[in-house]
Amino acid sequence: MHRRITGKLVIATHNPGKLAEMRELLTPYGIEAMSAGELGLDEPEETGDTFQANARIKAIAAANAAKLPAFADDSGLAVDALNGAPGIFSARWAGSNKDFNAAMAQIERLLQERGATTPGRRGAHFVSALCVAWPDGHIEEVEAHVDGTLVWPPRGTAGFGYDPMFMPNGFDRSFGEMTSIEKHGLPPLGLGLSHRARAFVKLAEVCLEPR
Ligand code: ITT
């Protein structure tokens, strides 16, 4: 049986870009959300080998620590020509100083080494696994992705992480050139564009009711 989210919710992320998007996605549902950072919760080690496993680790750790339902996202960029790298290591490729310009340059260097210079050889997708965990052990989880092409040099300064390098299929602008509203692509603009918005739509169907 699915369970609805009611009352308070912890957003189990320490990534400010994700936190802003997760808060925006929750806004129409009138959920009172606090972040793991605001509550001073520790960041658990992401020892899983799938996005879903890591989302679960983060949601369960926050739910147990805060004694409240907790909502986590584990996400990343999978590049076709790099056999899916950086994938679950997307945050780690940016190093401890979270330098995503360096991480994007690293991807570009590897693509050039493999001769991946035409759009057809520069396919990639973003993945988002979302998990809501309750302190009594119940969990709800969903996953979604968005396909696109990697552009170089990076375009735009909006968003976070790898956004300036990622142009979703069917668009001629990168996520870095879109407002967060466009990147979500939710009604009235669409049925969900970004990996996170698409996964959130699935989660909302089973766990949330519009206000
Ligand atoms: P938390 O674990 O605290 O949530 P994190 O940044 O470590 O934060 P992840 O382990 O899920 O999160 O790493 C995912 C990385 O993939 C993230 O740091 C971004 O750089 C990148 N990423 C995920 N979604 C993205 C998006 O919508 N736009 C750009 N980059 C994204």
Side-chain angles (χ1 to χ4, degrees):
M1 266 268 284
H2 292 300
R3 189 182 288 182
R4 298 259 164 195
I5 300 166
T6 52
K8 291 183 184 170
L9 181 70
V10 180
I11 303 182
T13 181
H14 289 80
N15 176 323
K18 270 196 209 177
L19 175 63
E21 290 193 6
M22 290 164 84
R23 270 199 210 283
E24 279 180 7
L25 291 167
L26 284 166
T27 298
Y29 298 91
I31 302 289
E32 191 189 334
M34 294 145 293
S35 75
E38 284 159 6
L39 293 174
L41 304 184
D42 288 340
E43 277 187 72
E45 214 186 320
E46 297 183 23
T47 51
D49 53 14
T50 61
F51 292 108
Q52 195 175 66
N54 284 331
R56 210 184 271 186
I57 287 169
K58 290 185 268 192
I60 291 173
N64 289 340
K67 303 197 171 22
L68 287 171
F71 175 33
D73 162 291
D74 198 70
S75 46
L77 180 69
V79 181
D80 298 344
L82 307 182
N83 298 321
I88 61 165
F89 301 104
S90 294
R92 285 164 263 189
W93 276 34
S96 53
N97 54 350
K98 302 192 190 334
D99 184 349
F100 284 96
N101 287 323
M104 288 191 286
Q106 164 80 347
I107 289 177
E108 182 59 22
R109 196 159 44 241
L110 295 172
L111 287 175
Q112 293 292 336
E113 274 172 25
R114 286 158 180 73
T117 51
T118 54
R121 299 200 47 203
R122 296 172 63 89
H125 56 277
F126 268 124
V127 180
S128 166
L130 299 179
C131 179
V132 181
W134 279 258
D136 69 0
H138 184 84
I139 60 168
E140 298 282 352
E141 48 194 6
V142 293
E143 186 170 309
H145 72 274
V146 56
D147 292 314
T149 305
L150 298 179
V151 296
W152 197 259
R155 297 188 196 166
T157 54
F160 64 96
Y162 299 91
D163 277 343
M165 194 179 186
F166 185 85
M167 195 159 72
N169 286 351
F171 291 78
D172 59 7
R173 288 175 306 136
S174 74
F175 275 166
E177 295 173 296
M178 296 185 184
T179 62
S180 62
I181 301 293
E182 291 174 289
K183 182 180 165 188
H184 297 325
L186 289 167
L189 297 176
L191 296 174
L193 174 58
S194 77
H195 47 314
R196 189 163 296 105
R198 287 177 177 177
F200 188 79
V201 168
K202 293 189 193 178
L203 185 77
E205 269 171 25
V206 292
C207 292
L208 289 162
E209 270 163 35
R211 207 169 5 186

